[in-house]
Amino acid sequence: MDIKVLGPLSVEACGQSIVPSAGKPRQILALLSVYANQMLPVPTLMEEIWGTQMPRSALTTLQTYILQLRRRLATAYGPQAPQASKDVLATRYGGYVLEAQPGAVDIHEYDRLVAAGRDALDAGDDVQASLLLREALAVWRGPALVDVKVGPVLEIELARLEESRLGVLERRIEADLRLGRHAELLTELTELTARHPLHEGLHAQCMAALYRAGRPWQALEVYQGLRARLVEDLGLEPSPRLQKLQQAVLASDPALDLDLDGHWRRPVLDLFAA
């Protein structure tokens, strides 16, 4: 099995796609794939498809969808493995589980790389952290399950994945800033702050990179742009930490500089935490 959900849904058995074209069976396969190797209760599967408006035939219809997926698996595995479809899409007490081998699911690979990258970052190995977090982000092929209509269960999971992706991106940029790669980051950070116009962390990193690149006036423009949007859209001022970062830029605070060994002392916003 080869299962990919960080982008368009792709599930292959013996090199053959088992993804159905019909919407609801595709949705069920997507949910089972996101939670590969975990038993999903029948009520959770039905909630994903019908929400709170479940028809009387919901259980029977769900069983039909499972049968359709097993038929696709059986076709992929062929007559030489008659039990494979039930072994891979297995029935458990109260639910179903999609069994996958280690390394077969892109979410699992992403989580493994993220954990290793965080460990490297915590250990002060910024080079390895940047490398591992870049590899984790490269697992993504686009928005998760971009070609699947999602219900309430998948919607929550996709929101979690996107938040994780953004957090990993922020950590990777932090590692690169610590390595003195501020000039290389400017284009990326300019694009990211445009895509996430209210994200303080990315704006702080952009300000720090601009300051380190000898462009403090542009760092202040980034702050003023964010402040204007926060006030206009939410009626809020920037956080105290970001306000202190602005003051540090104005004062050319040495805390914004790199250490002599070329490493940043702490994450940008933490430099001025109370």
Side-chain angles (χ1 to χ4, degrees), residues 18-60:
I18 66 161
V19 179
S21 57
K24 285 184 170 57
R26 189 186 191 94
Q27 201 172 342
I28 289 295
L29 179 60
L31 185 57
L32 289 164
S33 298
V34 166
Y35 291 97
N37 295 329
Q38 299 180 54
M39 193 277 284
L40 280 176
V42 165
T44 300
L45 291 163
M46 293 195 297
E47 180 186 358
E48 169 62 23
I49 296 296
W50 294 287
T52 58
Q53 305 298 318
M54 294 184 193
R56 291 182 179 179
S57 60
L59 179 58
T60 302

Side-chain angles (χ1 to χ4, degrees), residues 87-105:
D87 292 337
V88 172
L89 180 44
T91 301
R92 296 288 184 266
Y93 180 76
Y96 300 93
V97 59
L98 186 64
E99 301 283 1
Q101 296 297 316
V105 187

Side-chain angles (χ1 to χ4, degrees), residues 3-128:
I3 301 171
K4 292 182 173 65
V5 300
L6 300 179
L9 177 63
S10 174
V11 184
E12 294 184 351
C14 298
Q16 182 175 330
S17 174
I18 66 161
V19 179
S21 57
K24 285 184 170 57
R26 189 186 191 94
Q27 201 172 342
I28 289 295
L29 179 60
L31 185 57
L32 289 164
S33 298
V34 166
Y35 291 97
N37 295 329
Q38 299 180 54
M39 193 277 284
L40 280 176
V42 165
T44 300
L45 291 163
M46 293 195 297
E47 180 186 358
E48 169 62 23
I49 296 296
W50 294 287
T52 58
Q53 305 298 318
M54 294 184 193
R56 291 182 179 179
S57 60
L59 179 58
T60 302
T61 304
L62 174 63
Q63 292 169 341
T64 300
Y65 295 153
I66 295 294
L67 179 60
Q68 291 174 7
L69 292 173
R70 282 178 172 159
R71 284 173 177 167
R72 298 183 72 87
L73 281 166
T75 299
Y77 283 108
Q80 66 274 16
Q83 285 296 118
S85 63
K86 291 185 177 181
D87 292 337
V88 172
L89 180 44
T91 301
R92 296 288 184 266
Y93 180 76
Y96 300 93
V97 59
L98 186 64
E99 301 283 1
Q101 296 297 316
V105 187
D106 61 352
I107 287 184
H108 298 171
E109 179 66 7
Y110 167 74
D111 288 340
R112 182 188 69 79
L113 289 165
V114 168
R118 286 175 178 168
D119 289 344
L121 202 60
D122 292 342
D125 189 347
D126 298 320
V127 173
Q128 186 69 0

Side-chain angles (χ1 to χ4, degrees), residues 123-184:
D125 189 347
D126 298 320
V127 173
Q128 186 69 0
S130 175
L131 177 64
L132 288 166
L133 295 176
R134 283 179 187 274
E135 288 183 17
L137 293 167
V139 174
W140 288 71
R141 298 167 294 119
L145 298 178
V146 65
D147 57 346
V148 177
K149 180 181 178 181
V150 301
V153 181
L154 275 176
E155 187 174 20
I156 293 171
E157 182 61 20
L158 296 191
R160 183 195 70 81
L161 285 169
E162 285 296 337
E163 186 64 26
S164 169
R165 184 185 191 184
L166 188 58
V168 170
L169 179 59
E170 201 174 350
R171 288 185 180 89
R172 195 227 81 215
I173 292 172
E174 193 63 55
D176 287 338
L177 282 172
R178 291 181 185 179
L179 293 167
R181 297 171 179 170
H182 41 272
E184 303 167 35

